[in-house]
Amino acid sequence: MGDSDGIDGITGLDALRRALAENAEQPEGPARNARAEQLLAEAERLNIPLAVIEALGHQLKVYNYSSEKDKMFVPFARLLRMWDERPEDFDEYEAHSLHWVFKWMSAGMLDQPHIPLASIEKWLGEMAHRYRLAGYSERAVHSAEFSVAEHTGDMARAERAYTAWLAADRDAMADCHACELHAQGIWQVTCGRDAEALELWRPVLDGEFACAHEPHTVLASSLAPLLRLGRLEEARANHLRGFRLVRPMESMRGAYADHVEFCALTGNEARGLELLAERPAYFTDTGHPRSRLDFLAVVALLMERLTELGLAGQRVPGPAGRAWTAGELAGHAREEALKLAERFDRRNGTPYTGERTRARMAQRPLADRLPLGVRTVRPAPASGAAPPAPEATDAPDLAALLAEARRLSETLQPHALEAWAAVARAARDTEPAPRDRAEIADHEAMARGPEGVELFERAAALYTEAGDLGEALAARARGAYVRALTGEADAALEAVTALYDEALALYADEATGLRQTASVVMSRARILMRCVHDGSPGTAAGEGLARAEQAVREVLALVGGQVADDVRLAARDAEARGMLAELALLGGDGDRAAGLFRRAVDGYVSAGLPWFAVEYEAQVAALAHQTGDLAEAERALRSALEHGGAYVEPVGRAQLHLQLAEIIGGRGAVDEAAEHAWEAAHWADEAGAGGTPSGGSMLGGWARQQLGGLLLRQGRCAEAAEVLESALADLSAETHGDGAVVQARWWLGDCLSELGDHHAAAEHRLRAAEIARLWPEQQDHATLAHLAGESLSKAGLLEEADQAYLRAGELWHALGNAPFRVRSLRARGWLALRGDGRAEEARELMAEAVRECEGALEAAADPVAQEQLGIELAHTHRQFGDLLARSVAEEAGDGVIQAAFEAALVQLDRAAALFGSLGADGLHDRTGAELAAGWLAADLGRPAEAAARARAVLAAYEDTEDTDDADETVRARRAEAAQLLEQ
């Protein structure tokens, strides 16, 4: 019978196996399951028992790794019946597989509440009996019994089974180390031993053990324990790493639920909603009730969290067929989860599942907000931007509110305006005194900004009515400054000049106080500063600077000597020094500006008003950065964050953290720089979207781009990839520059390459190269094309890889970079060898690489370039030798093989000689070439030559001690030489 695919279907066992293998590589889900069912029907038509067995085993496997786990019992029952009737039809692999999936059946039964507990217990006995007959250890049986006991809440039995499980011998039926450690860690968590669980999981988290579903599930299971232990950074890392693994796997609804839970517990409710939106089928897939219960429980947790935040009416993803609000979905998910839990409890005869489900839904957040680096907009109001404003009581006392508002205003405390707003609300049904009404109107005008000009006039009238002419002038001066801010600088200056004259006259007559006069004088200085910044028409630049400086110095002269007694006057003094700094900066005197900004900072800090110093510290940082004094820039930025505390607006905090990340990362403190980049991304999200340079989305794009690069520098590729993918959603050539976009894609390509996702890595490298193609300097274009070639080659896209290397080679040639030109030729040679029937082309390309390198070496005059090219030539000869040896097919005639091997020996000898000229630096490469040549000599039937080469290698290392601390390469070379001598 033939083994090829026929027109009407599969016509042989080999063809079936190819189809099964191809289907196994498809993504999990209904389509793969349906194909498995078709293949079983094809296998049945072959009338070969082993074909049916293999198709049933494949079907069982794809069901297990999908949302249709409930379907796997039927193919298993059929397999078991076939085994009982004709075990000789099973080959060794299928017999092993049949016993292996007994474990899947026990777990699968446990996850289906309609299967009676008595049936599961009976199945455990059947499993134990069959394992004994087959000669297997009881380890897997005890593990299955433990799962049953733990699921039903029988802790004593679970502990006994757990102990017996660990005591039994590991054999071919034991789960892999990674899966066993996962289950053992879950037991520690169940017993309240989070730290012990994490210690058990460490080998899986560190990559020592892995399998198809690990570390996926361990990363997910570790999230809540890490949060409870306060290890937030590790939890964040495991979420970003783990979710990338879980996202494409339909069968991992339980692990997916752990990630949604993590979002609900860390203030990342918006990301939790995004996760729900990605998997709408998880709400309704019924094939695996246990994971559906887990999922619905965390959906309820997330929705109830949103409801607590006042967002019960927000639209959220939910089961298909209708629109959902958070409040509605909270009730629905809770009800469905408890119904499912009750089904399990009714089956198990215990309340354990219901109790655990209620406890899971009742969890409280373990972090107000853990920044994740990825772009999410918090659905709740920003909670960290500033401390809460004073709240009015149910029966506010107007006198008390007035006293508090005046206290806050007198000392220039944050939230003074909110306190005055509370006074205004409390005074609505009363008739306060004119002075009180004046202050209420005055502060309402301040709160309204450009819309408050008329209110300032009303406040002035009320101050006048109250007999305070100085404060009336101050109110009108504040109104004039607001007019200047709206573009009416000339009119504002005219108005404030008259007010200034009146105020000075009143002050001279002792008809008003210093504070009121200083307020008017400061308003005039502010307006003149605005004229300078706006470039007021009709005023020469120098004249404007001089007038503004004179006005500022009048402020300093007026309040001088009074700053220690009055916070408001101290603030005037500090602000005036800041103005002088701005003027010095406009005049081109950066050093003087920096000194004045520092004096302004000191003035605010000494007055107990550090939050006003933030802007000036930021200016100091910018000036220091321009002059290359990065230490001073870092100091100033740190001080700005310290001084501002919770009072800096989100955009400002994002900017400060981002600048710090860049400076700190530049001096190599990558870990700390990353923490600032996390914070920058977080505060950019809190600031919201915006296309301006200070907009949240623009800052977020920068922050995430920087964070991704910093994580990559730490080797945290999975986290970096998540962050950079998110960054690309905000980065654009128009707002960030095409260099930022290219760098993000470059870094992302590096991450994906490390993670083994070579298709995606190639895509990002090619897209970056396409942008860099238009740049005048082509170094980056060449490098990206070369890297794209590497990714395409590893992805098996040989033709596309060859084109990328060809493009890179042409660019390297134009740039005069001979070493990389040679490398591109070598890479193309190996690609040609991998292609069908292109061995001759491969040899020609490698020969061209040798000629190119020899020519460049001959033309090189610089000793450094000569050394580099000499090393490159040695490697080229070595690779040419390897390629020649591999380029002949096994079925080729002896003469063809001998000629290829002889030619390879020539290349390897040249490589060894060149590596030998490098002394100790080329030792390992030289001995590697010698050994390769020795094996070829042995294959050519020249044992004496092979032995001589082996002895030469041993002689090269005779002065190296063979200890446990010896170089690993030395030990490997010696061992290989000894093996060659035995030929």
Side-chain angles (χ1 to χ4, degrees):
M1 182 178 291
D3 284 338
S4 62
D5 294 320
I7 295 175
D8 297 325
I10 290 169
T11 58
L13 183 57
D14 288 347
L16 175 69
R17 285 171 171 165
R18 286 194 296 272
L20 293 173
E22 181 181 335
N23 195 46
E25 296 300 316
Q26 298 304 305
E28 296 177 352
R32 186 170 76 157
N33 295 354
R35 177 60 175 156
E37 292 161 6
Q38 293 173 355
L39 291 173
L40 175 59
E42 296 277 0
E44 289 169 334
R45 282 195 284 271
L46 294 177
N47 198 27
I48 302 173
L50 185 58
V52 177
I53 290 167
E54 291 184 10
L56 284 168
H58 172 72
Q59 188 182 74
L60 196 157
K61 183 174 183 179
V62 299
Y63 284 155
N64 184 59
Y65 292 115
S66 78
S67 61
E68 298 179 307
K69 292 178 185 287
D70 54 335
K71 290 185 175 182
M72 66 183 178
F73 300 108
V74 172
F76 180 74
R78 185 176 172 187
L79 275 172
L80 194 58
R81 185 171 63 252
M82 293 176 73
W83 170 262
D84 288 339
E85 292 172 355
R86 291 180 57 84
E88 64 272 18
D89 289 340
F90 288 70
D91 62 16
E92 182 179 354
Y93 176 81
E94 293 301 332
H96 176 274
S97 296
L98 176 70
H99 286 85
W100 181 267
V101 296
F102 266 83
K103 300 179 294 181
W104 294 0
M105 293 304 108
S106 61
M109 291 178 179
L110 205 58
D111 296 338
Q112 303 290 335
H114 69 278
I115 299 179
L117 191 60
S119 298
I120 298 172
E121 295 285 4
K122 182 179 178 181
W123 179 255
L124 282 177
E126 178 75 10
M127 180 180 174
H129 171 67
R130 289 184 180 265
Y131 273 36
R132 280 195 299 273
L133 286 178
Y136 292 123
S137 162
E138 292 188 330
R139 188 177 182 92
V141 177
H142 290 311
S143 173
E145 181 188 4
F146 162 77
S147 296
V148 172
E150 192 274 336
H151 173 68
T152 59
D154 188 344
M155 296 303 166
R157 182 188 181 193
E159 188 62 53
R160 291 193 301 271
Y162 182 84
T163 302
W165 168 22
L166 268 60
D169 292 336
R170 282 188 57 83
D171 66 353
M173 281 300 112
D175 281 340
C176 76
H177 284 289
C179 289
E180 282 205 334
L181 288 173
H182 178 236
Q184 291 163 19
I186 291 294
W187 175 239
Q188 300 304 317
V189 172
T190 300
C191 296
R193 298 189 286 263
D194 288 339
E196 289 85 345
L198 291 164
E199 191 58 35
L200 272 171
W201 290 334
R202 183 161 302 284
V204 184
L205 295 172
D206 290 347
E208 184 178 344
F209 301 123
C211 68
H213 276 191
E214 295 297 353
H216 313 43
T217 56
V218 163
L219 285 164
S221 297
S222 72
L223 298 174
L226 286 167
L227 291 175
R228 287 193 291 267
L229 292 171
R231 292 158 62 174
L232 303 185
E233 292 78 11
E234 292 176 69
R236 174 174 61 200
N238 288 2
H239 168 65
L240 293 173
R241 285 177 59 198
F243 188 67
R244 287 188 70 81
L245 297 174
V246 168
R247 178 187 277 135
M249 303 183 75
E250 186 207 36
S251 64
M252 303 198 73
R253 179 163 54 183
Y256 202 97
D258 291 338
H259 287 280
V260 176
E261 177 184 55
F262 166 84
C263 294
L265 297 177
T266 57
N268 286 288
E269 298 85 6
R271 180 164 170 84
L273 294 177
E274 292 171 3
L275 267 57
L276 297 186
E278 286 190 31
R279 284 290 188 183
Y282 277 175
F283 288 98
T284 52
D285 282 344
T286 59
H288 191 240
R290 194 173 182 183
S291 68
R292 183 165 183 255
L293 169 59
D294 291 335
F295 184 74
L296 289 170
V298 300
V299 169
L301 172 68
L302 177 60
M303 296 304 136
E304 288 172 5
R305 175 63 183 151
L306 289 170
T307 300
E308 288 177 13
L309 293 170
L311 297 164
Q314 178 169 320
R315 292 285 294 274
V316 295
R322 57 161 289 186
W324 294 90
T325 65
E328 292 166 345
L329 186 55
H332 170 80
R334 173 175 283 274
E335 180 181 358
E336 291 296 306
L338 291 176
K339 281 181 182 177
L340 267 174
E342 196 276 330
R343 288 179 61 199
F344 280 106
D345 284 344
R346 188 166 62 248
R347 188 270 304 274
N348 298 337
T350 69
Y352 186 64
T353 301
E355 291 170 353
R356 293 189 67 179
T357 301
R358 289 182 178 86
R360 190 170 198 180
M361 293 189 293
Q363 291 178 98
R364 303 303 305 153
L366 296 170
D368 175 62
R369 174 78 184 271
L370 177 59
L372 301 181
V374 293
R375 184 174 186 257
T376 51
V377 180
R378 193 173 192 180
S383 63
E391 295 182 1
T393 61
D394 292 338
D397 177 78
L398 182 56
L401 289 174
L402 268 168
E404 176 63 9
R406 283 174 176 147
R407 183 189 70 80
L408 293 173
S409 294
E410 288 290 312
T411 54
L412 298 176
Q413 296 298 306
H415 302 306
L417 293 178
E418 288 92 330
W420 279 105
V423 170
R425 288 192 296 272
R428 282 173 187 162
D429 299 327
T430 65
E431 186 60 33
R435 172 72 193 202
D436 298 340
R437 298 205 314 275
E439 290 182 82
I440 292 171
D442 199 1
H443 288 91
E444 184 180 348
M446 296 179 201
R448 287 194 182 186
E451 299 174 0
V453 174
E454 292 184 6
L455 269 175
F456 278 123
E457 288 298 325
R458 181 164 178 257
L462 288 166
Y463 281 128
T464 301
E465 183 181 343
D468 193 337
L469 299 180
E471 202 62 65
L473 292 175
R476 289 194 174 96
R478 285 190 283 273
Y481 177 56
V482 170
R483 289 180 66 186
L485 292 176
T486 61
E488 299 179 45
D490 289 342
L493 182 58
E494 183 180 348
V496 83
T497 300
L499 297 170
Y500 166 80
D501 292 337
E502 287 186 61
L504 289 181
L506 283 176
Y507 184 59
D509 292 340
E510 298 183 355
T512 191
L514 176 59
R515 182 183 287 182
Q516 290 79 8
T517 307
S519 180
V520 176
V521 175
M522 177 56 83
S523 291
R524 176 172 172 268
R526 287 173 176 168
I527 291 169
L528 284 166
M529 289 293 294
R530 176 52 53 187
C531 291
V532 169
H533 287 297
D534 290 347
S536 181
T539 304
E543 180 185 344
L545 287 172
R547 289 182 64 193
E549 181 170 348
Q550 181 184 358
V552 172
R553 292 196 178 280
E554 286 187 38
V555 174
L556 290 172
L558 186 64
V559 302
Q562 308 292 325
V563 296
D565 304 321
D566 191 314
V567 169
R568 280 179 169 269
L569 296 180
R572 301 291 187 213
D573 182 274
E575 183 181 355
R577 297 191 188 281
M579 289 176 171
L580 287 178
E582 290 181 50
L583 292 169
L585 198 55
L586 289 169
D589 192 344
D591 289 342
R592 181 166 176 266
L596 286 164
F597 279 133
R598 280 191 285 266
R599 288 191 65 183
V601 168
D602 292 342
Y604 278 127
V605 172
S606 298
L609 306 170
W611 46 88
F612 287 119
V614 173
E615 179 184 349
Y616 297 145
E617 284 284 31
Q619 291 275 21
V620 171
L623 289 168
H625 202 285
Q626 289 172 15
T627 60
D629 188 352
L630 298 185
E632 171 64 5
E634 181 180 335
R635 181 211 62 76
L637 290 168
R638 289 185 186 278
S639 293
L641 282 170
E642 180 184 350
H643 293 327
Y647 303 114
V648 181
E649 290 297 316
V651 165
R653 294 182 83 163
Q655 291 170 328
L656 292 171
H657 281 294
L658 182 56
Q659 292 172 58
L660 264 176
E662 292 172 352
I663 290 173
I664 294 170
R667 63 173 171 79
V670 180
D671 291 358
E672 185 186 358
E675 287 305 314
H676 284 289
W678 291 114
E679 290 295 324
H682 161 67
W683 289 111
D685 288 343
E686 291 289 345
T692 65
S694 61
S697 61
M698 183 175 183
L699 278 172
W702 277 121
R704 278 180 265 280
Q705 193 242 27
Q706 289 297 308
L707 175 58
L710 291 164
L711 291 170
L712 177 59
R713 286 169 66 182
Q714 296 176 73
R716 297 159 67 177
C717 294
E719 297 165 72
E722 280 288 300
V723 170
L724 288 167
E725 286 170 351
S726 182
L728 284 168
D730 283 332
L731 289 173
S732 70
E734 293 74 24
T735 55
H736 300 86
D738 52 11
V741 178
V742 166
Q743 184 64 80
R745 291 199 183 280
W746 192 328
W747 282 334
L748 182 53
D750 291 348
C751 293
L752 294 169
S753 180
E754 287 294 320
L755 295 170
D757 191 350
H758 300 300
H759 280 88
E763 177 188 351
H764 286 289
R765 286 169 167 175
L766 286 170
R767 291 180 69 177
E770 192 59 24
I771 298 173
R773 179 178 64 85
L774 303 174
W775 294 352
E777 170 55 56
Q778 290 289 284
Q779 176 76 25
D780 287 339
H781 181 201
T783 304
L784 285 162
H786 200 110
L787 290 171
E790 290 182 10
S791 295
L792 290 163
S793 174
K794 291 175 181 176
L797 301 171
L798 306 189
E799 189 173 333
E800 294 86 345
D802 184 70
Q803 289 300 310
Y805 277 125
L806 176 61
R807 178 181 176 186
E810 292 169 348
L811 291 165
W812 292 131
H813 182 72
L815 289 166
N817 191 324
F820 276 90
R821 161 75 171 160
V822 168
R823 292 179 191 182
S824 67
L825 288 167
R826 292 200 311 246
R828 292 183 63 209
W830 286 111
L831 285 170
L833 188 62
R834 289 167 64 187
D836 294 334
R838 297 174 59 194
E840 185 59 35
E841 181 184 347
R843 291 189 285 268
E844 290 174 0
L845 284 164
M846 201 64 78
E848 184 181 352
V850 170
R851 291 193 299 271
E852 187 87 21
C853 201
E854 287 175 339
L857 180 58
E858 184 178 343
D862 177 27
V864 175
Q866 289 175 344
E867 181 181 359
Q868 183 184 8
L869 286 164
I871 294 170
E872 207 63 51
L873 181 58
H875 283 293
T876 305
H877 281 302
R878 170 63 202 268
Q879 290 194 34
F880 196 2
D882 291 342
L883 183 142
L884 287 168
R886 298 180 196 178
S887 65
V888 287
E890 292 181 4
E891 61 270 18
D894 291 343
V896 174
I897 293 175
Q898 180 171 351
F901 282 11
E902 293 287 3
L905 274 172
V906 172
Q907 297 296 327
L908 291 170
D909 280 335
R910 290 174 181 170
L914 286 167
F915 284 130
S917 68
L918 301 174
D921 291 340
L923 175 61
H924 294 332
D925 287 319
R926 178 173 71 83
T927 55
E930 284 281 10
L931 287 169
W935 289 111
L936 283 176
D939 288 339
L940 287 167
R942 303 204 291 258
E945 180 184 341
R949 291 181 185 275
R951 283 192 290 271
V953 170
L954 292 173
Y957 293 118
E958 63 184 358
D959 294 333
T960 306
E961 294 184 11
D962 192 6
T963 65
D964 291 340
D965 296 330
D967 186 287
E968 183 179 342
T969 304
V970 173
R971 292 198 299 271
R973 293 284 191 270
R974 282 175 167 165
E976 188 178 351
Q979 185 182 1
L980 182 57
L981 280 172
E982 294 173 2
Q983 297 298 306

